[in-house]
Amino acid sequence: MPHNVPPAKRVLLRSGKSPYAVMSVEEALHRDVIATNAGNLIFSDAAHKILETPRTEVVSNEMRTEAAEAARINEEYDAFVVPLANAFRPSFEPGLKRLTRLIGRLRIPVVVLGVGAQTGLSYNPDRLKPMEPSVRAFVSAVLDHSASIGVRGEFTEKYLKDMGFSDVEVIGCPSMFMYGKELVVRKRAQELTADSRIAINGSHSAVRKLGMGRIISRTHARYPNLRFIGQNLSDAKQLHWRDLSDPNGKVTAMPTHPDHPMYREGKARVYVDPVTWIDDLRDFDYSFGSRIHGNIAALLAGTPATVLCADSRTLELCRYFEIPHRRIDKLPEDVDPARLYEETDLSALTGNHHERFERFTAFLDRNGLENTFSHGDGGAAFEKKLRSLDFPAGVRPWIDTDLASLASRMGWLNNRVGELTEENTRLRRELTRAKAGARRSTAVPAPASVYRRARRVVGAPLRRALQGGRNRGSGGS
């Protein structure tokens, strides 16, 4: 199709940002474009690439799901595509309700890619019972707008079918189809040695409750080239700002915590762009840990990985894609990645990938969505555009003593101060006008509280930054 011909279809995609949006680490963290977990960008970027064809434009909704936006969405878009992870969990119920209200007001097709239910490894759904009305309302609203709903695996399929829904298809997660029907993952070393480059990952709950902290500590002692890759927004803020204000800041066994030896050695990262995350993992020999998308990022990089499954959401996805995995509750006391690597069999993962890809694209076809591998250039234009952009490197621990490291942080804070100063000036003008009209009308609430909140937005990071500088100056490593 000629470049001057506009796309015939516009798809609104639920995602934190467009894959093409380049922003500084500071801005990405301030706006929380990862929606609290960088793994979200792995599957939303994959969905963007898959759905972008010469006839289809894909636009990020930047996680805005207000029902008041429905009229505009109906007017400007032809479909709303919703990639989800473990959305059927109690802590996400408010978000699920917001999505349901929005979908109920839409007149365009709504397609859900790979939603999952989260419970324990036993697949017992009892903990989800209190939120069942919300799940029913969401699935009913989706099926009013689509041919079927795509789920991550066997547990979520049974969970919904037990509620009486029949139009349920297991499609896995779009992240695994980032590169289409081909998935090339090979062992580049016969065995792991002390010199091997190993990536490890894990959630705060796995570190606190499931022994992941002990696994990280022992692996760190044995493998000098180990790197921890975090995913939470709080992880990234700890690395970049030394910000411990989140409750996760109490988990000192996480390598993203400033007190952890891997932090002091510069051996922790968080990525705000999947392209840099995947690129970095191409140079590693192996990845393992409890994070499903942390290990999927490695597989997409061609690096062998093993998932240490801690709940149903990771287990059902590993079973569907035949990703090498072990139950974290059945691991031996002294886990050695060399042994896990030795046991890793990638044949089913790669050998059956084509069949799973065909199932996924058939689901898209039934729901009226084209894909770049069947209806476009296989993602070549997408990859070319990504490679033309200058994305920031992974977020590193703030242990630098050079002025450039401090200048980039202070520069961003200075800009924020300027923006908030302008906003404060506007609010003061409004306050002056309100006071002038107070005798003639009902008093207008003074916006001073807004100003105080604005001061806190800038003040807290600034104080932490200055404190971090003093800490480094005192000789701490």
Side-chain angles (χ1 to χ4, degrees):
M1 177 176 289
H3 293 297
N4 60 349
V5 177
K9 191 171 190 174
R10 296 187 83 220
V11 168
L12 183 65
L13 181 71
R14 180 182 180 271
S15 64
K17 74 178 185 74
S18 164
Y20 308 129
V22 179
M23 59 187 69
S24 68
V25 167
E26 293 86 3
E27 188 66 18
L29 301 187
H30 175 65
R31 291 172 50 183
D32 186 17
V33 296
I34 65 175
T36 76
N37 187 330
N40 293 321
L41 289 183
I42 297 282
F43 62 75
S44 65
D45 273 25
H48 193 118
K49 176 182 177 180
I50 291 165
L51 298 173
E52 192 171 75
T53 73
R55 291 171 45 84
T56 306
E57 177 188 6
V58 182
V59 179
S60 170
N61 76 339
E62 298 180 348
M63 289 299 183
R64 292 192 295 267
T65 55
E66 296 83 2
E69 291 285 298
R72 181 186 64 82
I73 293 171
N74 286 327
E75 179 68 25
E76 297 180 8
Y77 298 95
D78 301 291
F80 180 36
V81 177
V82 187
L84 290 169
N86 52 328
F88 299 155
R89 69 183 193 276
S91 62
F92 191 71
E93 187 172 10
L96 196 67
K97 289 180 175 179
R98 283 194 299 273
L99 272 171
T100 303
R101 287 193 291 270
L102 171 61
I103 293 169
R105 295 188 183 185
L106 296 180
R107 300 191 304 272
I108 59 176
V110 176
V111 184
V112 169
L113 301 182
V115 65
Q118 181 178 342
T119 186
L121 290 167
S122 66
Y123 283 5
N124 186 335
D126 287 353
R127 72 183 292 265
L128 303 177
K129 194 69 177 176
M131 70 175 298
E132 186 173 309
S134 298
V135 174
R136 284 183 179 275
F138 174 78
V139 177
S140 296
V142 169
L143 291 177
D144 284 343
H145 293 76
S146 60
S148 58
I149 184 169
V151 300
R152 288 171 68 140
E154 58 192 357
F155 170 67
T156 307
E157 178 188 34
K158 185 177 187 302
Y159 173 64
L160 294 185
K161 286 189 172 180
D162 284 349
M163 287 188 198
F165 295 106
S166 57
D167 296 320
V168 181
E169 297 186 57
V170 177
I171 60 171
C173 176
S175 59
M176 288 293 288
F177 305 117
M178 175 84 80
Y179 302 120
K181 65 182 179 181
E182 303 300 329
L183 181 65
V184 181
V185 187
R186 298 190 184 96
K187 290 183 178 181
R188 293 187 285 270
Q190 185 174 353
E191 61 182 11
L192 296 185
T193 68
D195 295 326
S196 296
R197 297 198 69 196
I198 301 173
I200 192 168
N201 52 73
S203 67
H204 289 82
S205 60
V207 166
R208 283 189 294 111
K209 302 175 183 177
L210 302 174
M212 201 62 219
R214 183 179 66 252
I215 294 171
I216 292 170
S217 179
R218 288 178 175 173
T219 307
H220 175 230
R222 294 171 176 172
Y223 297 90
N225 296 316
L226 182 70
R227 178 181 294 177
F228 179 83
I229 300 180
Q231 292 182 204
N232 281 11
L233 179 65
S234 61
D235 294 334
K237 287 184 173 181
Q238 286 179 22
L239 293 181
H240 196 70
W241 293 116
R242 290 178 171 254
D243 180 356
L244 301 177
S245 60
D246 188 275
N248 287 338
K250 298 177 181 178
V251 186
T252 57
M254 284 289 285
T256 53
H257 193 285
D259 289 344
H260 197 281
M262 290 186 70
Y263 188 109
R264 296 193 297 270
E265 295 166 14
K267 295 178 180 179
R269 299 286 188 278
V270 174
Y271 296 87
V272 295
D273 296 286
V275 61
T276 53
W277 190 353
I278 295 168
D279 279 353
D280 277 6
L281 284 170
R282 296 187 199 281
D283 295 330
F284 281 76
D285 297 300
Y286 183 55
S287 171
F288 78 110
S290 65
R291 288 289 198 182
I292 184 64
H293 283 100
N295 291 303
I296 285 177
L299 296 174
L300 294 174
T303 299
T306 300
V307 180
L308 306 182
C309 296
D311 51 34
S312 64
R313 61 181 172 143
T314 53
L315 184 59
E316 69 171 353
L317 206 54
C318 286
R319 284 179 172 171
Y320 179 68
F321 282 109
E322 298 177 279
I323 296 171
H325 63 280
R326 299 282 296 273
R327 285 180 52 147
I328 200 168
D329 61 341
K330 295 186 181 299
L331 288 173
E333 180 69 21
D334 190 12
V335 180
D336 189 338
R339 181 65 182 273
L340 294 176
Y341 182 82
E342 179 185 351
E343 296 172 350
T344 297
D345 183 355
L346 302 163
S347 58
L349 166 72
T350 57
N352 298 326
H353 185 75
H354 192 174
E355 177 186 343
R356 286 184 284 263
F357 174 75
E358 294 297 332
R359 190 178 301 127
F360 177 73
T361 54
F363 168 83
L364 296 180
D365 290 343
R366 279 189 290 275
N367 283 282
L369 296 172
E370 292 187 345
N371 73 85
T372 187
F373 301 102
S374 304
H375 309 97
D377 62 2
F382 177 93
E383 295 292 339
K384 182 178 180 180
K385 187 169 182 179
L386 279 190
R387 297 303 167 185
S388 71
L389 300 171
D390 187 18
F391 293 97
V395 186
R396 305 167 62 97
W398 190 3
I399 54 177
D400 299 325
T401 56
D402 63 291
L403 291 177
S405 172
L406 183 62
S408 65
R409 291 167 169 85
M410 290 301 142
W412 183 84
L413 288 171
N414 183 61
N415 289 337
R416 288 292 297 152
V417 170
E419 293 168 3
L420 291 167
T421 299
E422 291 178 5
E423 177 68 4
N424 181 49
T425 301
R426 183 186 66 79
L427 291 173
R428 285 184 178 278
R429 290 195 193 105
E430 290 181 5
L431 178 59
T432 300
R433 288 195 294 269
K435 286 180 176 178
R439 294 188 180 89
R440 298 186 300 273
S441 62
T442 303
V444 177
S449 61
V450 176
Y451 177 52
R452 286 195 294 271
R453 288 198 300 271
R455 288 178 60 189
R456 286 197 295 271
V457 167
V458 174
L462 184 58
R463 285 192 299 273
R464 285 190 294 269
L466 293 174
Q467 183 63 43
R470 287 195 292 271
N471 289 342
R472 291 193 310 278
S474 64
S477 61

